[in-house]
Amino acid sequence: MVIVAQVVHVVEALLTMNYYLDPVYFQVWSKVMMPTAGPPPSSFYLISLLFAVITWVFFGIVYEKLSGALTEKDALKKGVLFGGLMYLVAGIPMILVMYLLVNVPVGILIAWAISALVLDLIAGIMAAKIYGGK
């Protein structure tokens, strides 16, 4: 899932690069991502990979613990249902809070919301396949 997430985030970044290159928003980005104007340092990518591993391990643990509550028998449907529920519980609130608290352009928030939905659905399907839809 870490590899899938990296691919999705690279595509998302390429499609929204204008926001990252706009000097108006330079101060919005963390010092980890943009210690100076320009591309992120390699340490950002390493930390990003570590955070992705942690995130997707948590996702798998939550699936394993809660999947019994989902009545779907088909792994694909169960995975999509679980991923959709995770998006409703975590993805949408994250985007709403970002809108309220951080000066990030709405366009990039929409891109992040779409990529979060895609990733949650894919991760749900992968978790259901790994755990056998149980």
Side-chain angles (χ1 to χ4, degrees):
M1 194 55 218
V2 171
I3 294 167
V4 172
Q6 287 303 114
V7 170
V8 169
H9 289 310
V10 166
V11 170
E12 166 201 297
L14 291 173
L15 294 173
T16 59
M17 189 56 65
N18 57 317
Y19 295 114
Y20 296 105
L21 298 176
D22 189 341
V24 171
Y25 296 108
F26 282 176
Q27 72 244 16
V28 169
W29 311 122
S30 77
K31 295 300 179 199
V32 175
M33 184 181 101
M34 195 179 285
T36 60
S42 57
S43 60
F44 170 77
Y45 296 104
L46 294 174
I47 294 168
S48 176
L49 287 172
L50 173 65
F51 285 8
V53 168
I54 292 167
T55 298
W56 299 119
V57 166
F58 285 161
F59 190 98
I61 291 169
V62 172
Y63 178 85
E64 195 273 328
K65 297 296 181 193
L66 298 181
S67 65
L70 303 175
T71 58
E72 286 291 336
K73 300 297 180 208
D74 178 67
L76 179 65
K77 290 179 183 177
K78 192 171 197 172
V80 169
L81 176 61
F82 182 77
L85 289 172
M86 290 296 286
Y87 181 72
L88 291 175
V89 170
I92 291 176
M94 176 196 69
I95 296 300
L96 295 175
V97 168
M98 293 280 286
Y99 178 74
L100 288 174
L101 299 179
V102 183
N103 182 27
V104 179
V106 172
I108 203 162
L109 286 175
I110 291 168
W112 290 347
I114 292 167
S115 67
L117 176 61
V118 168
L119 290 173
D120 283 345
L121 293 176
I122 292 171
I125 293 167
M126 290 176 71
K129 295 289 186 182
I130 290 168
Y131 286 97
K134 67 176 184 175

